[in-house]
Amino acid sequence: MSQVTALTHAEKLLQAEGIHVPSRQQCLGKLVVPFGQHEHAPFRWLVANDVGYMKYILDRHRTEVTNPQRKGEMGNQWVKDYLTEYAESFPQVSVVLEANIDRCIYGQKSFEDHTFQEMWELYCQYSSQKDRPEKFSNEQREVIQKAHSSVKRWLNTPVTHITSTQMKRFRKYIYDKEQQRLTSTPRCDPSLWPSDDAELIAASQSVEDSLKSQHSLSASQPLKQQLTSRGVSSSQTSGT
């Protein structure tokens, strides 16, 4: 029941069972839940037998951690932190835990009631408010800039230096969102271009779609001939 000795004690138990160099995951699996309907059940038993109850514990734990009205220490916080780490070390269990991650509460200064999703949306607006400040009010720009600085602080902090499980989750959430945005390749919207360029962009996209859909064309056919066959004149493509 001591955070200082729990993992060391678990390691010794595993060594006594013949596992000479136990992994951290194995040591965490040896720890037990000291409360609730499965009191004294090892973490590994919960993962194998009652993921629903474990999710209930961890969902409540996140709510407690991010509650700005909370006063004093939370009961068994370190046990629940370790249980979160153990559960998330299994991808199939992590998927269950992440199902509602968009609605997790950020809970940091100035954004105590904002969800992960809301922080991501503010973070994404940072470039837009710099490039097109006239589209945002002074108040909106201030909030976006503060949110961007707050999110960047966690992204620039090595995960090994973050003690809060919730903020580790948030850091990973933003990185995953960034990765999704980088790997996606949305089509250009011609309406966002100046009027002189919009027609050219639309024509270029039409050509690209045709090239993708018509695999029967010879790869050696000259590009100019391909464009002409699709009704795009050289005047439309000049300057591309």
Side-chain angles (χ1 to χ4, degrees), residues 37-64:
Q37 68 185 52
H38 293 313
E39 186 175 2
H40 304 310
F43 289 4
R44 63 181 180 182
W45 186 92
L46 272 182
V47 166
N49 295 278
D50 202 342
V51 171
Y53 179 67
M54 182 179 64
K55 183 179 186 304
Y56 167 76
I57 293 174
L58 298 183
D59 284 345
R60 289 196 55 170
H61 178 49
R62 291 186 203 120
T63 302
E64 292 172 350

Side-chain angles (χ1 to χ4, degrees), residues 94-111:
S94 182
V95 168
V96 175
L97 298 177
E98 299 299 323
N100 299 315
I101 193 169
D102 285 340
R103 297 198 295 272
C104 283
I105 300 300
Y106 182 61
Q108 299 299 300
K109 184 179 179 181
S110 300
F111 301 98

Side-chain angles (χ1 to χ4, degrees), residues 10-200:
E11 184 178 10
K12 290 179 180 178
L13 288 175
L14 288 165
Q15 289 173 340
E17 294 173 6
I19 303 174
H20 300 298
V21 186
S23 66
R24 181 176 177 86
Q25 184 192 56
Q26 289 173 318
C27 291
L28 287 169
K30 268 291 187 183
L31 303 186
V32 299
V33 179
F35 54 82
Q37 68 185 52
H38 293 313
E39 186 175 2
H40 304 310
F43 289 4
R44 63 181 180 182
W45 186 92
L46 272 182
V47 166
N49 295 278
D50 202 342
V51 171
Y53 179 67
M54 182 179 64
K55 183 179 186 304
Y56 167 76
I57 293 174
L58 298 183
D59 284 345
R60 289 196 55 170
H61 178 49
R62 291 186 203 120
T63 302
E64 292 172 350
V65 168
T66 58
N67 181 8
Q69 308 301 323
R70 176 175 56 85
K71 297 180 180 179
E73 293 293 326
M74 293 185 298
N76 299 302
Q77 177 174 350
W78 69 269
V79 176
K80 295 170 186 175
D81 284 343
Y82 276 158
L83 180 58
T84 300
E85 180 183 346
Y86 182 68
E88 291 181 343
S89 69
F90 297 94
Q92 63 272 35
V93 177
S94 182
V95 168
V96 175
L97 298 177
E98 299 299 323
N100 299 315
I101 193 169
D102 285 340
R103 297 198 295 272
C104 283
I105 300 300
Y106 182 61
Q108 299 299 300
K109 184 179 179 181
S110 300
F111 301 98
E112 286 84 353
D113 298 324
H114 282 60
T115 63
F116 283 11
Q117 175 68 27
E118 289 169 337
M119 291 305 295
W120 165 249
E121 291 172 354
L122 288 171
Y123 177 73
C124 288
Q125 292 182 64
Y126 182 73
S127 296
S128 296
Q129 64 85 28
K130 285 185 65 179
D131 297 338
R132 301 183 180 90
E134 70 280 359
K135 292 189 175 183
F136 300 84
S137 68
N138 290 336
E139 183 180 356
Q140 287 174 323
R141 289 200 300 272
E142 184 178 351
V143 170
I144 291 169
Q145 290 167 8
K146 282 185 177 179
H148 183 267
S149 296
S150 185
V151 172
K152 271 295 186 182
R153 180 166 67 91
W154 294 111
L155 295 181
N156 293 333
T157 301
V159 68
T160 52
H161 294 178
I162 301 176
T163 58
S164 166
T165 301
Q166 184 77 347
M167 288 302 99
K168 287 180 181 178
R169 291 170 62 81
F170 177 73
R171 185 177 186 275
K172 182 179 183 299
Y173 174 81
I174 297 297
Y175 269 123
D176 289 346
K177 286 284 191 181
E178 285 278 23
Q179 190 61 35
Q180 290 172 14
R181 185 165 66 172
L182 289 173
T183 55
S184 64
T185 53
R187 290 167 54 88
C188 295
D189 183 356
S191 65
L192 299 179
W193 286 70
S195 57
D196 291 343
D197 296 330
E199 186 177 347
L200 176 59

Side-chain angles (χ1 to χ4, degrees), residues 219-230:
S220 61
Q221 188 177 11
L223 177 59
K224 183 176 180 180
Q225 183 179 344
Q226 291 181 27
L227 297 178
T228 303
S229 67
R230 286 161 179 75

